[in-house]
Amino acid sequence: MNWKPTASFDTLRARAALLARIRQFFAEREVLEVTTPVLSRHATVDRHIDSFATVDGRWLQTSPEFAMKRLLAAGSGPIWQLAPVFRLDEQGRHHNCEFTMLEWYRPGFDHRRLMDEVESLLRSCDAPESGWRRFSYREAFELHAGFDPHTLDASALRARLRERGVAGPDDLSADEGADRDFWLDLWMSHVVGPQLGRGAPAFLYDFPASQAALARVRDELPPVAERFELFWHGIELANGFHELTDAVEQRNRFEADQVWRRQRGRVVPPHDRELIAALQSGLPACAGVAIGVERLLMMLLGKSCIDEVMAFPADRA
Amino acid sequence: MASVSTNEMKSGTKVLIDGEPYSVIENEYRKPGKGQATNSIKIRNLKTGRVLEKTLRSGDSWEAADVEDTDMQYLYNDGQFWTLMDPSSYEQIQAGEAAMADAAQWLKGEETVRVTLWNGVPLSVAAPNTVELTITETDPGLRGDTATGGTKPAKLETGAVVKVPLFVTEGEKIKVDTRTGEYLNRAGK
């Protein structure tokens, strides 16, 4: 029985110092620290995020997003929290099924202004002072994949990925074969993502509208989602949105995701009706972002495996 | 048949793909925060030794291959097959040249070898890491030359040829590392 922690005490001290630094950052900026429920009657219906169900029919949160937006709609003003989150079946060198999310919301900010604040926070946590980059999703693909991700169709994306030595699954369904996002995700995780933020961190912004999640979509040609991610040493650290505030659009997206899940025989959790009600009553225009704290600590300390920054990773929990 | 899911595939897990047995070498989980999760899995074909990389959706599975490693005793070679015996059941099986591969040249009989069985049929046989064998043929060395580090070929009783230091002579027993084919030292009588 290996009962000992996988992180050194030096690392655990660095973690404590990081959390203290984060707390100080938000206190100085007068952002309110909040705590919301970990256990909920509803769950995310995101196509690619699965929740742990509890024996009494409730769900462990995969992010504190919905409850925090209800606070915003109720008039909280800017809020932040450090929340334990849980994601079923996510396990690997950079994944643990339970981790810590730093999440915050800024009424009146858009995604660009929030990127500025993410940069300030990380700098105050000893991330590099200079050399930060920002690429649109299109620019990053043009640079590292050699094409415009908004124009190629699924079969071209697949053929070009094969040329790069990544074949994709053998038993593709017709559905997946024709799903641009499926192939863009493979491009991102195998080719483009690993090239981002190799020195200082880099932001990726303006995602395809089909990957909007809970971000608003800007009506351009092609339309893009006002969503960003932060990469450092090729690892995704954060995801942020200029938040969708339209209740009808939000419900439509939830329902479309539920249909997608049902058609594939996946678990279909109930979506958060209270969030929809809060949006109906009025969510202030805002931007929000979530950062994986263990990954941030990994990058700050130059660790290559998430186990090295957790006292007890899943297989010892 | 049992199946193995991507999150159960570790280095050494044996799987069956298109009727061929493979051993997992590496399994890397990748997932964009809000995107499709995949596992990039490096596998080795246990019959051909060829290594390839496959991409699976996370949660997909392969059939488990009934492959096990077991220690057996090598008995004799009849010119075509090598006969091996399970030391507990005394059951005998035969391995062909493909399964024996490099192991054959180090064996004279009675050794314990590691046999990889697939559905009870030997896929590969590994000789003991070190063996002690007698030199049957080598040129006479230069007398007194123990320090210059020169080598000469020596034929062993099993037919294998290894490089030995100049001072080693015919009829002597030496210890050899079968993984590298290198001379280790004189084994004495």
PDB file of all heavy atoms in Angstrom, chain A residues 237-264:
ATOM      1  N   LEU A 237      -4.245  26.149 -19.666  1.00  0.00           N
ATOM      2  CA  LEU A 237      -4.368  26.497 -18.243  1.00  0.00           C
ATOM      3  C   LEU A 237      -5.703  27.117 -17.895  1.00  0.00           C
ATOM      4  O   LEU A 237      -6.133  27.044 -16.750  1.00  0.00           O
ATOM      5  CB  LEU A 237      -3.287  27.522 -17.848  1.00  0.00           C
ATOM      6  CG  LEU A 237      -1.837  27.078 -17.822  1.00  0.00           C
ATOM      7  CD1 LEU A 237      -0.990  28.207 -17.259  1.00  0.00           C
ATOM      8  CD2 LEU A 237      -1.683  25.831 -16.963  1.00  0.00           C
ATOM      9  N   ALA A 238      -6.325  27.809 -18.852  1.00  0.00           N
ATOM     10  CA  ALA A 238      -7.519  28.580 -18.518  1.00  0.00           C
ATOM     11  C   ALA A 238      -8.466  28.642 -19.700  1.00  0.00           C
ATOM     12  O   ALA A 238      -8.057  28.506 -20.851  1.00  0.00           O
ATOM     13  CB  ALA A 238      -7.117  30.002 -18.112  1.00  0.00           C
ATOM     14  N   ASN A 239      -9.734  28.842 -19.385  1.00  0.00           N
ATOM     15  CA  ASN A 239     -10.759  29.035 -20.400  1.00  0.00           C
ATOM     16  C   ASN A 239     -11.654  30.178 -19.932  1.00  0.00           C
ATOM     17  O   ASN A 239     -12.092  30.188 -18.775  1.00  0.00           O
ATOM     18  CB  ASN A 239     -11.579  27.748 -20.548  1.00  0.00           C
ATOM     19  CG  ASN A 239     -12.660  27.884 -21.598  1.00  0.00           C
ATOM     20  OD1 ASN A 239     -12.381  27.862 -22.785  1.00  0.00           O
ATOM     21  ND2 ASN A 239     -13.897  28.050 -21.154  1.00  0.00           N
ATOM     22  N   GLY A 240     -11.879  31.151 -20.817  1.00  0.00           N
ATOM     23  CA  GLY A 240     -12.701  32.308 -20.424  1.00  0.00           C
ATOM     24  C   GLY A 240     -13.699  32.672 -21.503  1.00  0.00           C
ATOM     25  O   GLY A 240     -13.528  32.337 -22.674  1.00  0.00           O
ATOM     26  N   PHE A 241     -14.748  33.357 -21.054  1.00  0.00           N
ATOM     27  CA  PHE A 241     -15.812  33.758 -21.982  1.00  0.00           C
ATOM     28  C   PHE A 241     -16.180  35.220 -21.762  1.00  0.00           C
ATOM     29  O   PHE A 241     -16.188  35.692 -20.621  1.00  0.00           O
ATOM     30  CB  PHE A 241     -17.118  32.975 -21.690  1.00  0.00           C
ATOM     31  CG  PHE A 241     -17.026  31.488 -21.817  1.00  0.00           C
ATOM     32  CD1 PHE A 241     -17.644  30.689 -20.854  1.00  0.00           C
ATOM     33  CD2 PHE A 241     -16.376  30.886 -22.875  1.00  0.00           C
ATOM     34  CE1 PHE A 241     -17.610  29.306 -20.960  1.00  0.00           C
ATOM     35  CE2 PHE A 241     -16.336  29.507 -22.989  1.00  0.00           C
ATOM     36  CZ  PHE A 241     -16.951  28.712 -22.028  1.00  0.00           C
ATOM     37  N   HIS A 242     -16.520  35.906 -22.852  1.00  0.00           N
ATOM     38  CA  HIS A 242     -17.389  37.059 -22.738  1.00  0.00           C
ATOM     39  C   HIS A 242     -18.761  36.408 -22.675  1.00  0.00           C
ATOM     40  O   HIS A 242     -19.236  35.858 -23.654  1.00  0.00           O
ATOM     41  CB  HIS A 242     -17.209  37.974 -23.958  1.00  0.00           C
ATOM     42  CG  HIS A 242     -17.912  39.285 -23.831  1.00  0.00           C
ATOM     43  ND1 HIS A 242     -18.146  40.099 -24.909  1.00  0.00           N
ATOM     44  CD2 HIS A 242     -18.430  39.919 -22.748  1.00  0.00           C
ATOM     45  CE1 HIS A 242     -18.786  41.198 -24.503  1.00  0.00           C
ATOM     46  NE2 HIS A 242     -18.969  41.103 -23.192  1.00  0.00           N
ATOM     47  N   GLU A 243     -19.374  36.464 -21.499  1.00  0.00           N
ATOM     48  CA  GLU A 243     -20.461  35.533 -21.193  1.00  0.00           C
ATOM     49  C   GLU A 243     -21.741  35.793 -21.992  1.00  0.00           C
ATOM     50  O   GLU A 243     -22.168  36.931 -22.171  1.00  0.00           O
ATOM     51  CB  GLU A 243     -20.802  35.587 -19.695  1.00  0.00           C
ATOM     52  CG  GLU A 243     -19.628  35.255 -18.771  1.00  0.00           C
ATOM     53  CD  GLU A 243     -19.225  33.783 -18.788  1.00  0.00           C
ATOM     54  OE1 GLU A 243     -19.992  32.950 -19.331  1.00  0.00           O
ATOM     55  OE2 GLU A 243     -18.147  33.468 -18.242  1.00  0.00           O
ATOM     56  N   LEU A 244     -22.328  34.661 -22.378  1.00  0.00           N
ATOM     57  CA  LEU A 244     -23.655  34.709 -22.988  1.00  0.00           C
ATOM     58  C   LEU A 244     -24.656  35.143 -21.918  1.00  0.00           C
ATOM     59  O   LEU A 244     -24.670  34.577 -20.821  1.00  0.00           O
ATOM     60  CB  LEU A 244     -23.994  33.300 -23.492  1.00  0.00           C
ATOM     61  CG  LEU A 244     -25.340  33.111 -24.175  1.00  0.00           C
ATOM     62  CD1 LEU A 244     -25.389  33.878 -25.491  1.00  0.00           C
ATOM     63  CD2 LEU A 244     -25.584  31.625 -24.424  1.00  0.00           C
ATOM     64  N   THR A 245     -25.498  36.122 -22.228  1.00  0.00           N
ATOM     65  CA  THR A 245     -26.487  36.578 -21.227  1.00  0.00           C
ATOM     66  C   THR A 245     -27.915  36.330 -21.703  1.00  0.00           C
ATOM     67  O   THR A 245     -28.855  36.565 -20.961  1.00  0.00           O
ATOM     68  CB  THR A 245     -26.312  38.091 -20.949  1.00  0.00           C
ATOM     69  OG1 THR A 245     -26.378  38.792 -22.192  1.00  0.00           O
ATOM     70  CG2 THR A 245     -24.993  38.381 -20.266  1.00  0.00           C
ATOM     71  N   ASP A 246     -28.045  35.838 -22.934  1.00  0.00           N
ATOM     72  CA  ASP A 246     -29.359  35.642 -23.542  1.00  0.00           C
ATOM     73  C   ASP A 246     -29.958  34.306 -23.076  1.00  0.00           C
ATOM     74  O   ASP A 246     -29.461  33.236 -23.415  1.00  0.00           O
ATOM     75  CB  ASP A 246     -29.151  35.662 -25.065  1.00  0.00           C
ATOM     76  CG  ASP A 246     -30.454  35.479 -25.845  1.00  0.00           C
ATOM     77  OD1 ASP A 246     -31.391  34.827 -25.321  1.00  0.00           O
ATOM     78  OD2 ASP A 246     -30.512  35.966 -26.974  1.00  0.00           O
ATOM     79  N   ALA A 247     -31.040  34.385 -22.295  1.00  0.00           N
ATOM     80  CA  ALA A 247     -31.629  33.185 -21.694  1.00  0.00           C
ATOM     81  C   ALA A 247     -32.126  32.193 -22.746  1.00  0.00           C
ATOM     82  O   ALA A 247     -31.965  30.986 -22.615  1.00  0.00           O
ATOM     83  CB  ALA A 247     -32.769  33.572 -20.752  1.00  0.00           C
ATOM     84  N   VAL A 248     -32.739  32.710 -23.797  1.00  0.00           N
ATOM     85  CA  VAL A 248     -33.303  31.836 -24.834  1.00  0.00           C
ATOM     86  C   VAL A 248     -32.174  31.093 -25.547  1.00  0.00           C
ATOM     87  O   VAL A 248     -32.221  29.877 -25.736  1.00  0.00           O
ATOM     88  CB  VAL A 248     -34.147  32.665 -25.838  1.00  0.00           C
ATOM     89  CG1 VAL A 248     -34.615  31.783 -26.989  1.00  0.00           C
ATOM     90  CG2 VAL A 248     -35.336  33.305 -25.115  1.00  0.00           C
ATOM     91  N   GLU A 249     -31.165  31.837 -25.928  1.00  0.00           N
ATOM     92  CA  GLU A 249     -30.020  31.234 -26.607  1.00  0.00           C
ATOM     93  C   GLU A 249     -29.337  30.200 -25.701  1.00  0.00           C
ATOM     94  O   GLU A 249     -28.951  29.114 -26.136  1.00  0.00           O
ATOM     95  CB  GLU A 249     -29.031  32.341 -27.009  1.00  0.00           C
ATOM     96  CG  GLU A 249     -27.690  31.868 -27.535  1.00  0.00           C
ATOM     97  CD  GLU A 249     -27.767  31.098 -28.850  1.00  0.00           C
ATOM     98  OE1 GLU A 249     -28.809  31.183 -29.525  1.00  0.00           O
ATOM     99  OE2 GLU A 249     -26.786  30.402 -29.179  1.00  0.00           O
ATOM    100  N   GLN A 250     -29.235  30.533 -24.403  1.00  0.00           N
ATOM    101  CA  GLN A 250     -28.603  29.599 -23.463  1.00  0.00           C
ATOM    102  C   GLN A 250     -29.399  28.298 -23.374  1.00  0.00           C
ATOM    103  O   GLN A 250     -28.836  27.212 -23.408  1.00  0.00           O
ATOM    104  CB  GLN A 250     -28.488  30.243 -22.076  1.00  0.00           C
ATOM    105  CG  GLN A 250     -27.799  29.362 -21.052  1.00  0.00           C
ATOM    106  CD  GLN A 250     -26.349  29.104 -21.409  1.00  0.00           C
ATOM    107  OE1 GLN A 250     -25.513  29.971 -21.324  1.00  0.00           O
ATOM    108  NE2 GLN A 250     -26.048  27.880 -21.852  1.00  0.00           N
ATOM    109  N   ARG A 251     -30.732  28.425 -23.276  1.00  0.00           N
ATOM    110  CA  ARG A 251     -31.546  27.220 -23.184  1.00  0.00           C
ATOM    111  C   ARG A 251     -31.432  26.395 -24.469  1.00  0.00           C
ATOM    112  O   ARG A 251     -31.320  25.182 -24.434  1.00  0.00           O
ATOM    113  CB  ARG A 251     -33.011  27.566 -22.893  1.00  0.00           C
ATOM    114  CG  ARG A 251     -33.834  26.285 -22.658  1.00  0.00           C
ATOM    115  CD  ARG A 251     -35.323  26.520 -22.721  1.00  0.00           C
ATOM    116  NE  ARG A 251     -35.814  27.163 -21.506  1.00  0.00           N
ATOM    117  CZ  ARG A 251     -36.666  28.181 -21.504  1.00  0.00           C
ATOM    118  NH1 ARG A 251     -37.113  28.690 -22.644  1.00  0.00           N
ATOM    119  NH2 ARG A 251     -37.077  28.701 -20.367  1.00  0.00           N
ATOM    120  N   ASN A 252     -31.426  27.095 -25.609  1.00  0.00           N
ATOM    121  CA  ASN A 252     -31.281  26.384 -26.885  1.00  0.00           C
ATOM    122  C   ASN A 252     -29.971  25.594 -26.928  1.00  0.00           C
ATOM    123  O   ASN A 252     -29.945  24.449 -27.387  1.00  0.00           O
ATOM    124  CB  ASN A 252     -31.318  27.362 -28.067  1.00  0.00           C
ATOM    125  CG  ASN A 252     -32.710  27.930 -28.274  1.00  0.00           C
ATOM    126  OD1 ASN A 252     -33.691  27.387 -27.736  1.00  0.00           O
ATOM    127  ND2 ASN A 252     -32.806  29.015 -29.019  1.00  0.00           N
ATOM    128  N   ARG A 253     -28.893  26.203 -26.448  1.00  0.00           N
ATOM    129  CA  ARG A 253     -27.606  25.491 -26.480  1.00  0.00           C
ATOM    130  C   ARG A 253     -27.632  24.285 -25.538  1.00  0.00           C
ATOM    131  O   ARG A 253     -27.142  23.216 -25.884  1.00  0.00           O
ATOM    132  CB  ARG A 253     -26.460  26.428 -26.076  1.00  0.00           C
ATOM    133  CG  ARG A 253     -26.152  27.457 -27.141  1.00  0.00           C
ATOM    134  CD  ARG A 253     -24.848  28.164 -26.818  1.00  0.00           C
ATOM    135  NE  ARG A 253     -24.774  29.436 -27.522  1.00  0.00           N
ATOM    136  CZ  ARG A 253     -23.792  30.321 -27.347  1.00  0.00           C
ATOM    137  NH1 ARG A 253     -22.824  30.080 -26.474  1.00  0.00           N
ATOM    138  NH2 ARG A 253     -23.779  31.450 -28.028  1.00  0.00           N
ATOM    139  N   PHE A 254     -28.193  24.470 -24.346  1.00  0.00           N
ATOM    140  CA  PHE A 254     -28.310  23.341 -23.407  1.00  0.00           C
ATOM    141  C   PHE A 254     -29.087  22.192 -24.055  1.00  0.00           C
ATOM    142  O   PHE A 254     -28.689  21.037 -24.005  1.00  0.00           O
ATOM    143  CB  PHE A 254     -29.042  23.764 -22.129  1.00  0.00           C
ATOM    144  CG  PHE A 254     -28.182  24.457 -21.101  1.00  0.00           C
ATOM    145  CD1 PHE A 254     -28.777  25.177 -20.055  1.00  0.00           C
ATOM    146  CD2 PHE A 254     -26.792  24.368 -21.132  1.00  0.00           C
ATOM    147  CE1 PHE A 254     -28.002  25.813 -19.086  1.00  0.00           C
ATOM    148  CE2 PHE A 254     -26.013  25.003 -20.168  1.00  0.00           C
ATOM    149  CZ  PHE A 254     -26.625  25.729 -19.148  1.00  0.00           C
ATOM    150  N   GLU A 255     -30.224  22.552 -24.667  1.00  0.00           N
ATOM    151  CA  GLU A 255     -31.074  21.501 -25.235  1.00  0.00           C
ATOM    152  C   GLU A 255     -30.406  20.818 -26.421  1.00  0.00           C
ATOM    153  O   GLU A 255     -30.510  19.607 -26.590  1.00  0.00           O
ATOM    154  CB  GLU A 255     -32.453  22.087 -25.611  1.00  0.00           C
ATOM    155  CG  GLU A 255     -33.251  22.390 -24.329  1.00  0.00           C
ATOM    156  CD  GLU A 255     -34.572  23.102 -24.576  1.00  0.00           C
ATOM    157  OE1 GLU A 255     -34.872  23.437 -25.744  1.00  0.00           O
ATOM    158  OE2 GLU A 255     -35.307  23.319 -23.585  1.00  0.00           O
ATOM    159  N   ALA A 256     -29.676  21.597 -27.217  1.00  0.00           N
ATOM    160  CA  ALA A 256     -28.968  20.993 -28.355  1.00  0.00           C
ATOM    161  C   ALA A 256     -27.899  20.013 -27.849  1.00  0.00           C
ATOM    162  O   ALA A 256     -27.709  18.928 -28.414  1.00  0.00           O
ATOM    163  CB  ALA A 256     -28.324  22.086 -29.208  1.00  0.00           C
ATOM    164  N   ASP A 257     -27.215  20.396 -26.770  1.00  0.00           N
ATOM    165  CA  ASP A 257     -26.199  19.499 -26.210  1.00  0.00           C
ATOM    166  C   ASP A 257     -26.842  18.234 -25.642  1.00  0.00           C
ATOM    167  O   ASP A 257     -26.289  17.136 -25.766  1.00  0.00           O
ATOM    168  CB  ASP A 257     -25.403  20.210 -25.100  1.00  0.00           C
ATOM    169  CG  ASP A 257     -24.410  21.215 -25.673  1.00  0.00           C
ATOM    170  OD1 ASP A 257     -24.124  21.148 -26.882  1.00  0.00           O
ATOM    171  OD2 ASP A 257     -23.925  22.073 -24.904  1.00  0.00           O
ATOM    172  N   GLN A 258     -28.021  18.400 -25.038  1.00  0.00           N
ATOM    173  CA  GLN A 258     -28.710  17.214 -24.508  1.00  0.00           C
ATOM    174  C   GLN A 258     -29.135  16.271 -25.635  1.00  0.00           C
ATOM    175  O   GLN A 258     -28.992  15.060 -25.514  1.00  0.00           O
ATOM    176  CB  GLN A 258     -29.933  17.641 -23.675  1.00  0.00           C
ATOM    177  CG  GLN A 258     -29.521  18.251 -22.335  1.00  0.00           C
ATOM    178  CD  GLN A 258     -30.708  18.727 -21.534  1.00  0.00           C
ATOM    179  OE1 GLN A 258     -31.608  19.371 -22.077  1.00  0.00           O
ATOM    180  NE2 GLN A 258     -30.727  18.417 -20.245  1.00  0.00           N
ATOM    181  N   VAL A 259     -29.607  16.836 -26.730  1.00  0.00           N
ATOM    182  CA  VAL A 259     -29.991  16.009 -27.883  1.00  0.00           C
ATOM    183  C   VAL A 259     -28.764  15.266 -28.405  1.00  0.00           C
ATOM    184  O   VAL A 259     -28.803  14.058 -28.662  1.00  0.00           O
ATOM    185  CB  VAL A 259     -30.618  16.880 -29.006  1.00  0.00           C
ATOM    186  CG1 VAL A 259     -30.739  16.094 -30.304  1.00  0.00           C
ATOM    187  CG2 VAL A 259     -31.981  17.406 -28.556  1.00  0.00           C
ATOM    188  N   TRP A 260     -27.669  15.992 -28.534  1.00  0.00           N
ATOM    189  CA  TRP A 260     -26.408  15.399 -29.014  1.00  0.00           C
ATOM    190  C   TRP A 260     -26.027  14.210 -28.131  1.00  0.00           C
ATOM    191  O   TRP A 260     -25.661  13.153 -28.606  1.00  0.00           O
ATOM    192  CB  TRP A 260     -25.307  16.463 -28.985  1.00  0.00           C
ATOM    193  CG  TRP A 260     -24.009  16.081 -29.627  1.00  0.00           C
ATOM    194  CD1 TRP A 260     -23.637  16.321 -30.916  1.00  0.00           C
ATOM    195  CD2 TRP A 260     -22.895  15.407 -29.002  1.00  0.00           C
ATOM    196  NE1 TRP A 260     -22.362  15.848 -31.135  1.00  0.00           N
ATOM    197  CE2 TRP A 260     -21.883  15.272 -29.985  1.00  0.00           C
ATOM    198  CE3 TRP A 260     -22.654  14.899 -27.721  1.00  0.00           C
ATOM    199  CZ2 TRP A 260     -20.658  14.664 -29.730  1.00  0.00           C
ATOM    200  CZ3 TRP A 260     -21.435  14.283 -27.465  1.00  0.00           C
ATOM    201  CH2 TRP A 260     -20.450  14.167 -28.465  1.00  0.00           C
ATOM    202  N   ARG A 261     -26.140  14.392 -26.816  1.00  0.00           N
ATOM    203  CA  ARG A 261     -25.782  13.329 -25.875  1.00  0.00           C
ATOM    204  C   ARG A 261     -26.743  12.145 -25.997  1.00  0.00           C
ATOM    205  O   ARG A 261     -26.317  10.992 -26.000  1.00  0.00           O
ATOM    206  CB  ARG A 261     -25.791  13.862 -24.434  1.00  0.00           C
ATOM    207  CG  ARG A 261     -24.624  14.770 -24.125  1.00  0.00           C
ATOM    208  CD  ARG A 261     -24.628  15.242 -22.676  1.00  0.00           C
ATOM    209  NE  ARG A 261     -23.264  15.510 -22.259  1.00  0.00           N
ATOM    210  CZ  ARG A 261     -22.465  14.627 -21.667  1.00  0.00           C
ATOM    211  NH1 ARG A 261     -22.919  13.431 -21.351  1.00  0.00           N
ATOM    212  NH2 ARG A 261     -21.223  14.926 -21.365  1.00  0.00           N
ATOM    213  N   ARG A 262     -28.031  12.450 -26.078  1.00  0.00           N
ATOM    214  CA  ARG A 262     -29.033  11.381 -26.156  1.00  0.00           C
ATOM    215  C   ARG A 262     -28.812  10.533 -27.402  1.00  0.00           C
ATOM    216  O   ARG A 262     -28.828   9.309 -27.342  1.00  0.00           O
ATOM    217  CB  ARG A 262     -30.444  12.002 -26.153  1.00  0.00           C
ATOM    218  CG  ARG A 262     -31.568  11.022 -25.839  1.00  0.00           C
ATOM    219  CD  ARG A 262     -32.885  11.757 -25.564  1.00  0.00           C
ATOM    220  NE  ARG A 262     -32.828  12.600 -24.378  1.00  0.00           N
ATOM    221  CZ  ARG A 262     -33.029  13.919 -24.369  1.00  0.00           C
ATOM    222  NH1 ARG A 262     -33.313  14.575 -25.489  1.00  0.00           N
ATOM    223  NH2 ARG A 262     -32.956  14.602 -23.246  1.00  0.00           N
ATOM    224  N   GLN A 263     -28.548  11.196 -28.526  1.00  0.00           N
ATOM    225  CA  GLN A 263     -28.358  10.466 -29.793  1.00  0.00           C
ATOM    226  C   GLN A 263     -27.171   9.511 -29.728  1.00  0.00           C
ATOM    227  O   GLN A 263     -27.120   8.530 -30.454  1.00  0.00           O
ATOM    228  CB  GLN A 263     -28.128  11.463 -30.939  1.00  0.00           C
ATOM    229  CG  GLN A 263     -29.409  12.118 -31.406  1.00  0.00           C
ATOM    230  CD  GLN A 263     -29.138  13.274 -32.365  1.00  0.00           C
ATOM    231  OE1 GLN A 263     -27.990  13.724 -32.492  1.00  0.00           O
ATOM    232  NE2 GLN A 263     -30.173  13.759 -33.020  1.00  0.00           N
ATOM    233  N   ARG A 264     -26.223   9.819 -28.878  1.00  0.00           N
ATOM    234  CA  ARG A 264     -25.026   8.968 -28.797  1.00  0.00           C
ATOM    235  C   ARG A 264     -25.051   8.020 -27.602  1.00  0.00           C
ATOM    236  O   ARG A 264     -24.032   7.411 -27.271  1.00  0.00           O
ATOM    237  CB  ARG A 264     -23.790   9.860 -28.746  1.00  0.00           C
ATOM    238  CG  ARG A 264     -23.459  10.412 -30.120  1.00  0.00           C
ATOM    239  CD  ARG A 264     -22.611  11.660 -30.051  1.00  0.00           C
ATOM    240  NE  ARG A 264     -22.481  12.247 -31.387  1.00  0.00           N
ATOM    241  CZ  ARG A 264     -23.422  12.965 -31.978  1.00  0.00           C
ATOM    242  NH1 ARG A 264     -24.566  13.213 -31.365  1.00  0.00           N
ATOM    243  NH2 ARG A 264     -23.231  13.448 -33.189  1.00  0.00           N
TER     244      ARG A 264
END
